[in-house]
Every structure is written in structure tokens, then in C-alpha cells.
Amino acid sequence: LFIYPVLQAADMLIYHADYVPVGKGQEQHLELSRNIAQRFNYQFGKDYFIHPEPLFTETPKILSPADPTRKMSKSLGEKHYINLFGEEDRIRKQIKSAVTDTGETKAGEMSAGVSNLFELLRACGNMPAHDALMADYQSAALRYSDLKQAVADAVVALINPLRDRLAELNADKRAVKSQIQDSSAEIRKRAQQTMRE
């Protein structure tokens, strides 16, 4: 509870990162790193550490398909996250069973489940389907099955190249290990320079 956020802050500060790609749920860890940098700089009277800023994607937070009132999280169980290397059938089934209406939506507002599916579609980059289905929603002609089908197709189209690339990497583990070692040696130099300074 106490050490992990400090380790995350060290990982950001030791390389003098200007921006750190994070999800909305990690923003508080980034804030801690800025607080530590500010305290260090004040303590030693020098602007040494940069105060890293968050680098969010256009969709910084995707919610659980099983419970759209909670963030997508592996720790909640397999129904609550989409495995980027999962089997296509499993992913399609998961999206098909995604919650669309929690019963807590005010009149005239989009339900959290439907909104989450639209966010997933947008995050996958399928804007033509997003816009067409949004037009259906706005004209009260949206069928949830069509939305879920479009989301499933978009997610599968996004992850299939990832799965293929993972298979390529697994086929040549020796080359990957060599790349990691070379990269680690380079970034270790930067970390050592920070420690010396």
C-alpha cells in the first residue's frame, strides 16, 4: 500500500519524464510523483526533478462490461475486463453479454452500459460505426444487439494484430530477450546518471 506508489514515482522521476501515459485511475500516483519532485526540489533548492504530466488517450477510462458503474479491472474477475490476447469467441461472448441498462438512468440520459459500449467503439477507432449507431440512438432506433455486434467486431479487429504480434515474439524469444537486455542497459545508464547527480 505504501511502497508501490513510491516505486511508481521513482520509475517516473529517475528518467526525468515530462509526460507519463496513464489511465484515469493512475492519476493519483502521478500526483504523488509530482509531490515528491516538488519536495525534493524545495529541500535542495534546485529545480532538478521535472513534475511529470499525465498523457491521457482520448478515452482515459473504460468501464467494466459486466458492471459499467466500475472501472475495467482484472482484479474484479474475468467478466470485468477484456483480455487483449484472448480468444475471439470469448471476447465476442463477453461483449454480447455486456450490461446495457443498470436501471439507474435518469430519463433522457444514456445509460452507463450503453455509453461504455460507445466508448469502446470509439477507443477502437471505428468512428463510422460509432457515428451511425449514435444517430440510431438519438433517433430512438438503436438496437443493442447491433451496438454489441459493432463493438465486438471493432475490438476483435483491434486485438487480432496484437495476438499475431505476440505469436511472432513468442516464436523468437531469444531475439526478444536480447532486445530487452540491450534496452535495459541503455535506460540503466540514464538511471545511474540521475543517481550520481
Side-chain angles (χ1 to χ4, degrees):
L1 182 63
F2 295 113
I3 295 172
Y4 187 62
V6 175
L7 287 173
Q8 285 182 313
D11 281 342
M12 292 178 233
L13 296 175
I14 203 162
Y15 303 109
H16 298 271
D18 292 306
Y19 296 96
V20 180
V22 292
K24 209 65 172 148
Q26 295 295 312
E27 196 171 15
Q28 71 274 15
H29 295 300
L30 193 59
E31 184 61 35
L32 175 65
S33 73
R34 287 198 295 268
N35 291 343
I36 291 171
Q38 184 177 17
R39 177 73 175 144
F40 182 94
N41 293 347
Y42 175 79
Q43 194 76 18
F44 292 96
K46 183 178 180 183
D47 284 336
Y48 180 72
F49 283 118
I50 295 167
H51 299 183
E53 294 294 325
L55 185 62
F56 296 122
T57 61
E58 287 182 32
T59 49
K61 188 175 187 178
I62 302 288
L63 301 172
S64 164
D67 182 357
T69 63
R70 303 173 85 174
K71 71 178 185 173
M72 188 179 285
S73 173
K74 193 172 184 179
S75 61
L76 293 174
E78 66 180 48
K79 290 199 291 188
H80 294 276
Y81 75 98
I82 296 171
N83 182 353
L84 293 179
F85 301 106
E87 294 300 318
E88 181 176 331
D89 291 344
R90 170 83 181 112
I91 291 165
R92 287 186 182 280
K93 183 179 176 185
Q94 188 175 13
I95 292 171
K96 186 177 180 182
S97 66
V99 171
T100 51
D101 189 359
T102 58
E104 302 170 6
T105 309
K106 295 178 185 173
E109 286 185 16
M110 184 181 287
S111 74
V114 172
S115 176
N116 192 44
L117 289 170
F118 274 110
E119 280 298 302
L120 271 168
L121 194 53
R122 192 165 68 119
C124 290
N126 192 341
M127 291 312 293
H130 176 279
D131 295 345
L133 290 163
M134 185 59 77
D136 288 348
Y137 173 81
Q138 290 167 342
S139 66
L142 177 68
R143 294 184 333 170
Y144 292 157
S145 60
D146 293 341
L147 176 59
K148 289 178 178 184
Q149 182 65 47
V151 171
D153 291 344
V155 170
V156 167
L158 179 76
I159 67 167
N160 275 342
L162 299 176
R163 288 176 50 219
D164 294 344
R165 182 68 178 131
L166 180 62
E168 288 174 25
L169 294 172
N170 282 333
D172 195 2
K173 289 184 179 182
R174 183 171 284 142
V176 172
K177 189 173 184 178
S178 176
Q179 259 187 319
I180 291 170
Q181 288 172 337
D182 293 345
S183 177
S184 295
E186 282 304 307
I187 62 174
R188 193 174 295 113
K189 289 177 190 173
R190 182 66 184 107
Q192 289 167 341
Q193 178 66 26
T194 298
M195 293 301 292
R196 280 193 299 273
E197 291 170 356

